[in-house]
Amino acid sequence: MDIELNILENWINQSQNIVFISGPDLSAEAGFPDYRQMDEGYLDTYKYPPDEILCLTFLQRNPFYFYRYYRDKILAPVLAAQPSPAHEALAKLEEAGKLKAILTVNIDGIHQEAGSREVVELQGSVMRSWCAKCEKFLDFFYIADSPTHIPYCNVDMCGDYVRPAIVLKEEPYDLALLEKALDYVRQAEVLIIDGSALRHFPVPNLMQAYQGHKLVLLNTAPLVFDSRAGIVIRNHTCTDIFQQLHLDL
């Protein structure tokens, strides 16, 4: 076992206050690819890049293309995804009382499917939907099973469109949720970050708030943050890492 993996194993086994921050690479290990990426031929079908589609004003101006993209690139892959061994290991760490929370920029609900309970969804979740007019919350299947391309609200004859409860560009973040995430990070003994999460707000800010000396960066390219880390582990997926650890659970 690499020396970094050995140190990580000891830190996890000795700690009762671990926080894990997950990003798109961990979801990809579960079969949910990064929906923000454009593959070959993407623009022939969707006409607009993901960064433009995932904006509040785009949804308001052009719901047809928004829901085409959302159904194909987010809903269908989410339905096909299955928790990876890394997701399952995190759920077991929480059950054992070691992991206090998962903070995630992912919107897919895979952590909860694996059995994790304390998941702070910083960018929202596709598992919830809500009506932009009457503000009633609805479940995942309201959009997935809608008989119309643009899902309309039938609560109290509202009639407005129903949208996923994710944070689109041009929308404010939930400040109470961000404060909750900050509290977890400040109190953490061990902070483990899936490196792909560092590409997304507010993860760099959360990392800067960490006050301990057991910061672990997983599977990340060299970054300016490396100098702050106690351990940097590269060239291993999160699944590879957790499968090599011998944890006292």
Side-chain angles (χ1 to χ4, degrees):
M1 180 182 289
D2 296 342
I3 186 169
E4 292 85 1
L5 289 173
N6 189 52
I7 295 170
L8 175 59
E9 180 181 288
N10 289 334
W11 283 0
I12 292 175
N13 283 333
Q14 294 167 10
S15 179
Q16 300 294 318
N17 191 348
I18 303 166
V19 172
F20 188 95
I21 304 180
S22 67
D25 284 357
L26 186 57
S27 287
E29 293 178 33
F32 182 63
D34 190 348
Y35 55 90
R36 306 169 188 86
Q37 303 299 315
M38 290 190 294
D39 49 20
E40 186 175 353
Y42 169 93
L43 289 175
D44 295 334
T45 302
Y46 303 103
K47 308 301 181 185
Y48 305 92
D51 281 351
E52 186 173 350
I53 292 175
L54 293 168
C55 290
L56 178 62
T57 51
F58 187 93
L59 169 59
Q60 294 168 337
R61 292 193 320 264
N62 204 338
F64 177 83
Y65 277 106
F66 177 90
Y67 284 104
R68 171 186 281 184
Y69 168 88
Y70 181 71
R71 290 175 185 278
D72 293 350
K73 291 293 186 179
I74 298 180
L75 283 190
V78 162
L79 287 169
Q82 295 291 327
S84 71
H87 287 89
E88 293 169 351
L90 290 167
K92 290 177 181 176
L93 282 172
E94 182 185 20
E95 185 179 1
K98 290 180 168 295
L99 183 72
K100 298 306 178 187
I102 295 171
L103 317 180
T104 185
V105 295
N106 300 333
I107 60 173
D108 45 58
I110 298 174
H111 283 298
Q112 291 91 329
E113 187 177 350
S116 294
R117 296 181 299 278
E118 185 58 18
V119 182
V120 180
E121 296 169 312
L122 300 164
Q123 304 266 5
S125 173
V126 300
M127 295 297 119
R128 300 181 298 278
S129 306
W130 65 284
C131 173
K133 181 179 179 181
C134 70
E135 298 186 349
K136 294 289 179 63
F137 275 87
L138 304 153
D139 66 17
F140 169 88
F141 293 100
Y142 195 94
I143 295 179
D145 296 342
S146 172
T148 58
H149 179 77
I150 299 173
Y152 292 102
C153 178
N154 61 14
V155 176
D156 298 327
M157 303 298 291
C158 172
D160 206 344
Y161 62 83
V162 172
R163 51 157 293 182
I166 59 177
V167 180
L168 300 174
K169 288 188 176 181
E170 306 163 335
E171 288 189 299
Y173 282 79
D174 184 329
L175 294 181
L177 205 64
L178 293 180
E179 189 60 40
K180 183 178 182 180
L182 279 169
D183 285 343
Y184 274 124
V185 168
R186 290 178 182 133
Q187 295 172 27
E189 179 185 7
V190 180
L191 177 63
I192 306 173
I193 303 179
D194 163 15
S196 65
L198 287 165
R199 301 194 296 264
H200 302 281
F201 179 85
V203 178
N205 308 68
L206 292 173
M207 191 200 69
Q208 295 293 348
Y210 176 59
Q211 298 172 0
H213 62 277
K214 295 180 179 179
L215 172 63
V216 183
L217 301 181
L218 304 181
N219 197 25
T220 177
L223 297 168
V224 294
F225 306 121
D226 289 359
S227 61
R228 287 211 56 203
I231 307 172
V232 178
I233 300 175
R234 297 196 178 97
N235 303 317
H236 294 279
T237 65
C238 290
T239 290
D240 290 338
I241 291 166
F242 278 103
Q243 287 182 327
Q244 292 185 63
L245 301 178
H246 301 287
L247 303 178
D248 300 332
L249 301 177

